[in-house]
Amino acid sequence: MKQKSIGLALGSGGVKGLAHIGALRILEQNNIKIDYIAGSSIGALVGAYYALHENVNEIEKIALEDKKGKFWAILEPSFSQGLVKGIKIEKMLDLWFGDKEFKDTKIPLCIVATDILTGEKITFKTGKIATAVRASISIPGLFKPVQFGEKWLVDGGLCDPVPVSEVRNLGAKFVVGINLDNYQKNRWLKNDKASMASITIAGIDVLRHYLGKYSSALADVVVEPSFHDPDYRIWSKFFTQNTGQHIIKEGEQAMAEKIGEILKKI
């Protein structure tokens, strides 16, 4: 029996997105060929590189090497529209993606961003990949928006954190969604240590929890990694500790738990 065409919707979630690497590795080990990919934010970054090269080991190497260089790429202060200018980040993305365009990918790809002026979801399926990724990872307030014609583009996770509908639009008949924002599964706030800042951050995480549930609801299988250490959501820990490897392992474990269901359904 012919396997259904498989789409992968890679969710937003900051440094937790390294779990996508582990999930991809388990799919590869089980000889599951991905036919379509859509990604938001960190999911756009991982998904774009995989769509170009289909090499999960290479993604892991790039993600974990030269942490100092990545740190200095973020430390580029701006005094308007965002804390980080993003010029160094654009150079880093150009180093990773070069002038590659969507037509150059081995796997059809869609990247999601948000127009902060109108609130519209913007999808990229043509043009330069680095530009689309730069837009999709631009967390409002942290990174300056990407000006694209009359649009001001920011993080795709604001409008569609697990872009299941977009990977279906590409042609996928069976969709695996990876949702990184299950707050109820990974709740971290403790009432005896709650501060104004932590309650505010937890409130945002709860919003993301419900948006992630809504966004991934139409997937055939939803994979939701468990992040056992609350520090996994903090980028600074990635730069100073070995959390990257641990997060990748969380992705492997979550996908391994669902692989039997996926194989049965496809």
Side-chain angles (χ1 to χ4, degrees), residues 19 28 68 73 90 137 145 176 201 204 207-208 218 237 249:
E28 282 190 355
K68 184 181 292 185
E90 289 172 8
I137 66 173
V176 178
I201 294 168
I204 294 171
L207 287 173
R208 291 181 58 86
L218 295 181
K237 301 296 182 181
K249 289 293 184 183

Side-chain angles (χ1 to χ4, degrees), residues 42-115:
I42 189 70
L45 178 58
V46 174
Y49 202 90
Y50 192 77
L52 275 170
H53 303 288
E54 289 187 292
N55 188 327
V56 72
N57 292 328
E58 193 171 334
I59 300 175
E60 181 174 17
K61 181 181 177 183
I62 288 174
L64 298 181
E65 70 181 6
D66 191 23
K67 289 186 178 181
K68 184 181 292 185
K70 294 182 179 72
F71 176 74
W72 286 111
I74 291 176
L75 276 186
E76 188 187 20
S78 169
F79 299 101
S80 66
Q81 301 175 3
L83 296 176
V84 179
K85 290 180 182 177
I87 296 173
K88 291 182 180 179
I89 290 174
E90 289 172 8
K91 290 180 179 178
M92 188 165 61
L93 292 174
D94 283 337
L95 182 65
W96 293 343
F97 295 107
D99 291 323
K100 295 293 186 182
E101 298 188 3
F102 282 77
K103 62 182 177 61
D104 300 317
T105 61
K106 295 178 181 179
I107 302 172
L109 172 70
C110 175
I111 288 176
V112 175
T114 307
D115 184 352

Side-chain angles (χ1 to χ4, degrees), residues 39-196:
S40 286
S41 198
I42 189 70
L45 178 58
V46 174
Y49 202 90
Y50 192 77
L52 275 170
H53 303 288
E54 289 187 292
N55 188 327
V56 72
N57 292 328
E58 193 171 334
I59 300 175
E60 181 174 17
K61 181 181 177 183
I62 288 174
L64 298 181
E65 70 181 6
D66 191 23
K67 289 186 178 181
K68 184 181 292 185
K70 294 182 179 72
F71 176 74
W72 286 111
I74 291 176
L75 276 186
E76 188 187 20
S78 169
F79 299 101
S80 66
Q81 301 175 3
L83 296 176
V84 179
K85 290 180 182 177
I87 296 173
K88 291 182 180 179
I89 290 174
E90 289 172 8
K91 290 180 179 178
M92 188 165 61
L93 292 174
D94 283 337
L95 182 65
W96 293 343
F97 295 107
D99 291 323
K100 295 293 186 182
E101 298 188 3
F102 282 77
K103 62 182 177 61
D104 300 317
T105 61
K106 295 178 181 179
I107 302 172
L109 172 70
C110 175
I111 288 176
V112 175
T114 307
D115 184 352
I116 198 64
L117 297 179
T118 65
E120 288 182 277
K121 177 167 68 173
I122 305 299
T123 57
F124 287 90
K125 299 176 185 176
T126 60
K128 189 176 176 182
I129 291 173
T131 300
V133 171
R134 166 70 175 90
S136 190
I137 66 173
S138 296
I139 301 170
L142 180 58
F143 298 109
K144 293 183 69 170
V146 173
Q147 295 188 30
F148 191 76
E150 295 183 356
K151 298 177 173 61
W152 282 25
L153 301 182
V154 296
D155 201 306
L158 293 182
C159 63
D160 197 359
V162 191
V164 171
S165 60
E166 297 307 327
V167 79
R168 286 203 189 278
N169 289 340
L170 288 176
K173 302 302 182 186
F174 182 91
V175 176
V176 178
I178 303 181
N179 177 30
L180 305 176
D181 284 318
N182 189 325
Y183 179 76
Q184 292 174 348
K185 186 176 185 179
N186 297 297
R187 58 187 183 273
W188 53 268
L189 184 66
K190 305 296 183 182
N191 58 3
D192 59 338
K193 296 182 180 179
S195 64
M196 183 185 299

